[in-house]
Amino acid sequence: MKAKILELLKNTDHYISGQKLCEHLGVSRTAVWKIINQLKEEGYIIDSINNKGYKIISCPDILSESEIKSSLSLINTDKLNKIIYLDETDSTNTRAKLEAEQGAPDWTLVIAGRQTGGKGRRGRGFTSPAGVGIFMTLILKPEFLPTKASMLTLISGMAVCQGIREKTNLKAMIKWPNDIVVNGKKICGILTEMSSEMEAINYIITGIGINVNNEQFPSDIADKATSIKLETQKTFRRSDIIASVIKHFRNYYDTFLKTVDLSLLKEEYNSLMINTGKKVFVVQGNKSYEAVAKSIDNDGELIIEKDGQISRVISGEVSVRGVYGYV
Ligand code: BTN
């Protein structure tokens, strides 16, 4: 009910009477009054005027189940079957796996305010401090073949890129296959994991970590990590960015499902990819070599040119970095 009241207040630019809220929700005036007070305590500035009602003046950047649900109510969420919000967890990917195994439906979104053991690719960690970042994992249970799953990282990358662009105007770009960068520094990492049989997927989880209002980073990553706040000098509401990323993901995923490949998306992907036309180091196990990144193909593989020869590299097997640094 709190989410519903928040949703009604957020979606109206005039005062809503207590009576109207009661009728709409089928609860008593005291119940509405109590929730309004809780919202005020959480940091929402709500004006209340006798005989006029309530009007929301400003919303802080907080994450809670009601905040997330009220922000998601502004987009098309027909596909989203379940939202799990936790103030703290070890890793939303680990929690999502558990939920998926215990029967969570397709399109379950797990979000945490903080991770104590955020996971990155190749066994690395992901810095996940409280109150400033987005840590979320989407559980999908699709019908397509396991070989197609890695493309979800690329779709998530496009969704994050457009979500950040839409909400902040920053020129976010994708560093193939799983980082989003702004001004040459990493602002988001994506970790997709899967449980499958030979021919069928049990579930895919795609975990997204976005640095939103971080003001600093641990010294070992400070030179290559950034946040939306560091790039704009402004604080952003994480729930708005989550909603925008989910909106874009839904659209891209629908397009992907038409062909179960990236043929309809690759042109846009290539225009968002920072590596396009750049010299990169392709790192494969303990081997690395220099090549020029050309574009992605229909399966999300990176087409590279090395000594005049064209070849393809697969996202799960290699990573690329710029010849002169991170990008
Ligand atoms: C990387 O940069 O190597 C990938 C980082 C992925 C981080 C996200 S945060 C939400 C989800 N939960 C995790 O433990 N990891 C992913």
Side-chain angles (χ1 to χ4, degrees):
M1 189 174 49
K2 205 199 246 181
K4 199 74 205 155
I5 292 191
L6 204 47
E7 183 186 323
L8 288 167
L9 288 173
K10 276 188 182 179
N11 292 339
T12 327
D13 52 12
H14 51 262
Y15 286 80
I16 312 184
S17 72
Q19 186 59 35
K20 208 165 179 183
L21 286 173
C22 297
E23 281 164 15
H24 203 92
L25 300 161
V27 293
S28 69
R29 269 192 112 98
T30 325
V32 167
W33 179 81
K34 272 191 187 154
I35 289 175
I36 296 279
N37 279 348
Q38 277 174 22
L39 290 171
K40 284 181 179 172
E41 267 165 35
E42 285 170 22
Y44 296 89
I45 313 280
I46 301 169
D47 197 23
S48 4
I49 300 186
N50 271 346
N51 301 325
K52 259 179 118 180
Y54 305 103
K55 179 171 153 53
I56 205 149
I57 309 291
S58 80
C59 304
D61 169 44
I62 55 165
L63 277 190
S64 64
E65 194 170 317
S66 357
E67 174 56 36
I68 292 162
K69 284 188 174 160
S70 68
S71 291
L72 287 170
S73 74
L74 302 172
I75 61 158
N76 183 349
T77 46
D78 57 350
K79 290 214 156 145
L80 211 49
N81 284 315
K82 190 172 174 189
I83 298 165
I84 299 170
Y85 172 76
L86 308 151
D87 282 332
E88 178 184 306
T89 189
D90 49 355
S91 149
T92 53
N93 271 25
T94 307
R95 177 62 183 250
K97 270 185 218 167
L98 207 74
E99 296 287 342
E101 270 151 27
Q102 290 173 353
D106 184 35
W107 276 88
T108 295
L109 182 62
V110 181
I111 303 179
R114 158 173 195 246
Q115 297 185 121
T116 50
K119 295 196 301 180
R121 288 215 313 172
R122 300 176 199 290
R124 286 190 283 256
F126 187 79
T127 307
S128 311
V132 289
I134 291 173
F135 316 111
M136 64 179 178
T137 302
L138 185 62
I139 303 171
L140 295 168
K141 296 189 163 174
E143 305 265 290
F144 51 75
L145 288 171
T147 48
K148 308 279 181 178
S150 63
M151 283 185 263
L152 285 193
T153 297
L154 278 67
I155 295 171
S156 301
M158 292 179 84
V160 172
C161 213
Q162 298 294 18
I164 293 179
R165 285 177 175 220
E166 180 181 59
K167 290 293 163 190
T168 69
N169 279 329
L170 285 170
K171 196 168 171 259
M173 303 287 288
I174 303 168
K175 176 177 173 284
W176 182 92
N178 72 319
D179 289 353
I180 306 303
V181 297
V182 170
N183 293 326
K185 291 183 166 186
K186 175 165 167 171
I187 208 155
C188 163
I190 298 165
L191 179 64
T192 301
E193 300 179 81
M194 172 173 64
S195 155
S196 71
E197 314 294 323
M198 284 291 277
E199 296 281 306
I201 292 172
N202 299 324
Y203 59 83
I204 301 177
I205 55 167
T206 183
I208 297 174
I210 309 176
N211 304 328
V212 181
N213 292 320
N214 313 53
E215 290 180 350
Q216 60 198 23
F217 289 93
S219 54
D220 55 326
I221 55 166
D223 61 333
K224 50 178 194 282
T226 192
S227 70
I228 293 175
K229 183 160 194 179
L230 288 173
E231 295 299 323
T232 59
Q233 311 308 322
K234 288 188 202 142
T235 300
F236 283 84
R237 289 164 34 76
R238 286 165 292 159
S239 62
D240 289 344
I241 296 172
I242 291 172
S244 180
V245 171
I246 296 296
K247 176 184 84 178
H248 288 288
F249 183 90
R250 183 194 185 285
N251 295 339
Y252 287 131
Y253 189 59
D254 272 356
T255 306
F256 165 78
L257 287 179
K258 286 184 190 151
T259 54
V260 198
D261 69 14
L262 297 170
S263 49
L264 301 171
L265 294 171
K266 72 176 175 193
E267 199 179 314
E268 185 177 342
Y269 188 95
N270 288 328
S271 73
L272 294 172
M273 182 168 76
I274 195 143
N275 319 87
T276 309
K278 289 225 178 94
K279 273 191 188 169
V280 289
F281 265 127
V282 179
V283 185
Q284 198 155 20
N286 48 15
K287 273 194 319 190
S288 77
Y289 55 88
E290 205 176 298
V292 175
K294 307 290 275 183
S295 57
I296 59 151
D297 66 11
N298 288 350
D299 297 319
E301 295 173 4
L302 185 67
I303 304 172
I304 54 165
E305 186 177 340
K306 182 179 177 296
D307 305 328
Q309 301 275 353
I310 298 289
S311 59
R312 288 167 157 74
V313 292
I314 302 170
S315 66
E317 293 179 1
V318 302
S319 65
V320 296
R321 61 180 171 79
V323 171
Y324 303 109
Y326 166 64
V327 288

